[in-house]
Amino acid sequence: MSERTLWQSVVFQAFIDATWQPSAWHATENRREQQIADAWIRGCGRNFRRVCAYADLDPDFLSRAYVRGRVNPDRLRAHTTGHVKGAA
């Protein structure tokens, strides 16, 4: 795995964490992690920008898409299991 791929995985996982809808069973224990991921992406701060630079991704584009609701959580989760159909 290349270093760029590793950093892309970090960003990808943050989007999954931020958009995850936990079941009632897991709601309490995972809500904090979801809030952290959401704030990290939404804030588009120095750390998010640095990770995106390492991943060769556009932080402004990603953050704006997330804030505008253009990130499809179902497609993200499907991608992690290898069941994505069509273009991303």
Side-chain angles (χ1 to χ4, degrees):
M1 173 185 292
S2 73
E3 187 173 332
R4 186 182 89 189
T5 303
L6 172 67
W7 289 111
Q8 287 172 345
S9 296
V10 170
V11 174
F12 184 76
Q13 186 62 50
F15 276 88
I16 291 172
D17 293 349
T19 59
W20 185 56
Q21 299 298 315
S23 65
W25 175 261
H26 294 100
T28 318
E29 64 188 72
N30 293 315
R31 181 70 177 146
R32 182 70 184 138
E33 287 81 8
Q34 184 180 24
Q35 291 171 338
I36 290 168
D38 176 81
W40 189 64
I41 297 165
R42 224 173 252 287
C44 197
R46 183 178 5 176
N47 183 272
F48 180 74
R49 290 178 176 283
R50 181 176 297 132
V51 171
C52 285
Y54 295 154
D56 196 25
L57 298 170
D58 182 341
D60 294 312
F61 174 82
L62 293 174
S63 182
R64 274 193 311 269
Y66 176 75
V67 168
R68 292 176 181 168
R70 294 186 177 157
V71 174
N72 184 325
D74 293 328
R75 291 186 71 132
L76 288 173
R77 279 184 283 291
H79 183 67
T80 63
T81 58
H83 299 300
V84 172
K85 295 179 182 176

